[in-house]
Amino acid sequence: MALTGANDKEKLEQLCARTYKEQAVWFLNSFWGDLSEEAEKLWQFVHKCAELNEEKKAEGSDLDEFQAHRFLENFKESMTVQAMREKLRSTGAIQAGQVVKRVPLTHLLIFKYNIDWKYLVNAVQGSKEEIEKAQRMLDEVHNAFVQANARATEAAEAVREAAAREADARSREEELKAAKAELEQALNELKAQEDAYNHKTEDLKKRSEEGGVVQRNKAKNELAQHLGEDPLPLRKAKITQEAAVKKADRAAVAANEAAQQAAEARVKGEEAQAAAEAAVDEARARVAEAEDYVEKAKKSMPAGGVWWLEKELHEAKAFLPTSKGGYIKRKITAQQ
């Protein structure tokens, strides 16, 4: 997979127009024998460039001067953009008097490692078909993890929704218990008032039929007054009991609805978790296929490209659960 420029300068321009990753892999392929130990640093370079380029991210190929200075400061490089350009002009990589406002990753690498840029642009890079196939497989891995992450997010949301519904169902159940307790209390109070009213009625009836005339007449008058007066305690007890019945009925309906919603949410949560598990298994399968291909391609692909593929697959595994071959990614707190 060679560059197609008519001369070395055009080839360098073509290389500098490629993405950060493509430039780094080309560089590693070209100088693997001497700079293989720098592979991890180039990995960091690529990701830092993508971070600094807020517009194009990983699809970018260069940095503006401010971003380039931040890049150099981050990696504690002593060189300056101006010194780098002067060096590149002395080698012919940049023509004398040429105004260059942006800094491609390749320029930084040429200067940092003091390599022959003409050798770089003409270095053998392996089969284009194999590289493109490997990239397609990596894209499939990436897409599989995008889907897995989406399903995991949906599952987490479904689980939260189920938990909320179950909490609401428990709350409604407590409200129903309280309403039933109020109803029982109201029924007891109503019965007590009815018993008291009926007991007084029977007592006055009995007294109106027994004893002397005076006592009977007095009892009859009291009975008439008793039957004719507004029995406030009894009436209040009936109103309270009726209200308690309605409240208990409403609480029962709400509790039933909440329980049904909780059950439905629980089913959705289980289905979402199953979908998330299936998506993870699919991502794991894509990783395994890509790993198998890389292992077979090692004999024909350049070592730098193989290292990069294996690194990307290893990084992808950080998104897998440890039970499915993933690992806990160590957080890098500072660049070395």
Side-chain angles (χ1 to χ4, degrees):
M1 188 177 68
L3 297 168
T4 59
N7 53 56
D8 291 344
K9 187 66 175 65
E10 288 185 5
K11 292 178 182 178
L12 179 60
E13 291 174 355
Q14 287 180 355
L15 177 58
C16 290
R18 296 190 174 193
T19 64
Y20 302 122
K21 170 188 168 180
E22 290 170 338
Q23 293 180 59
V25 171
W26 187 286
F27 187 90
L28 282 175
N29 285 339
S30 304
F31 299 101
W32 185 256
D34 297 322
L35 297 173
S36 59
E37 293 182 356
E38 295 294 300
E40 189 67 39
K41 178 156 283 189
L42 263 69
W43 174 270
Q44 295 177 19
F45 286 174
V46 166
H47 286 79
K48 189 62 181 180
C49 284
E51 176 188 327
L52 291 170
N53 191 334
E54 296 181 356
E55 180 183 357
K56 294 184 178 180
K57 300 295 184 182
E59 294 303 311
S61 60
D62 55 22
L63 302 171
D64 62 30
E65 286 199 10
F66 177 70
Q67 293 167 341
H69 281 298
R70 289 180 60 193
F71 175 91
L72 296 173
E73 289 174 359
N74 183 81
F75 291 102
K76 298 179 175 59
E77 296 289 347
S78 59
M79 63 176 165
T80 64
V81 173
Q82 183 61 32
M84 179 197 68
R85 285 176 177 161
E86 290 176 359
K87 174 67 175 179
L88 292 176
R89 285 192 178 95
S90 71
T91 64
I94 298 177
Q95 295 179 355
Q98 180 182 357
V99 178
V100 182
K101 294 184 178 181
R102 299 190 67 84
V103 183
L105 177 59
T106 295
H107 282 188
L108 293 165
L109 298 178
I110 291 172
F111 182 78
K112 175 176 174 58
Y113 294 106
N114 194 29
I115 55 90
D116 181 354
W117 66 270
K118 293 182 180 180
Y119 174 83
L120 172 67
V121 298
N122 290 290
V124 177
Q125 295 292 311
S127 167
K128 178 181 178 181
E129 289 73 21
E130 284 187 335
I131 293 173
E132 289 179 346
K133 181 177 180 179
Q135 186 58 52
R136 285 196 300 272
M137 298 188 79
L138 279 175
D139 291 342
E140 290 176 0
V141 169
H142 172 74
N143 292 334
F145 276 108
V146 168
Q147 292 299 317
N149 286 336
R151 299 295 83 75
T153 299
E154 292 171 0
E157 179 59 32
V159 169
R160 284 193 293 269
E161 178 66 16
R165 293 296 183 183
E166 289 177 351
D168 183 59
R170 289 192 295 271
S171 176
R172 297 299 182 184
E173 185 64 27
E174 291 300 318
E175 291 177 3
L176 176 58
K177 289 180 181 178
K180 287 181 176 180
E182 288 183 18
L183 176 58
E184 183 177 0
Q185 183 179 0
L187 288 172
N188 291 337
E189 177 63 19
L190 176 60
K191 185 176 185 305
Q193 292 298 330
E194 286 179 337
D195 288 347
Y197 183 84
N198 293 334
H199 177 74
K200 185 175 182 179
T201 300
E202 292 301 319
D203 179 63
L204 290 173
K205 283 182 178 180
K206 182 178 180 181
R207 287 164 51 194
S208 68
E209 296 171 354
E210 297 177 352
V213 175
V214 175
Q215 287 81 6
R216 290 198 306 271
N217 289 336
K218 181 180 179 181
K220 287 179 181 179
N221 289 332
E222 290 179 359
L223 177 60
Q225 290 178 2
H226 170 65
L227 295 175
E229 70 183 1
D230 181 12
L232 180 60
L234 177 58
R235 182 161 55 86
K236 181 180 179 181
K238 287 182 177 180
I239 293 173
T240 301
Q241 184 266 344
E242 290 172 357
V245 169
K246 292 179 180 179
K247 184 176 181 180
D249 289 343
R250 289 195 300 269
V253 171
N256 288 334
E257 289 179 352
Q260 183 177 354
Q261 290 174 353
E264 292 173 354
R266 192 180 306 111
V267 171
K268 288 182 179 178
E270 292 170 353
E271 291 175 348
Q273 286 182 314
E277 285 287 329
V280 168
D281 289 339
E282 176 65 18
R284 184 186 180 191
R286 297 286 78 76
V287 170
E289 288 178 5
E291 286 179 328
D292 289 343
Y293 176 75
V294 171
E295 189 63 31
K296 294 175 183 177
K298 282 183 178 180
K299 297 178 181 179
S300 56
M301 286 184 66
V306 170
W307 182 91
W308 204 276
L309 288 170
E310 290 180 329
K311 178 69 173 178
E312 288 187 318
L313 290 172
H314 177 72
E315 291 292 306
K317 285 184 178 180
F319 296 96
L320 285 173
T322 54
S323 61
K324 294 183 179 292
Y327 68 97
I328 299 175
K329 189 173 181 180
R330 180 177 64 86
K331 184 178 180 181
I332 299 176
T333 56
Q335 301 286 2
Q336 300 297 322

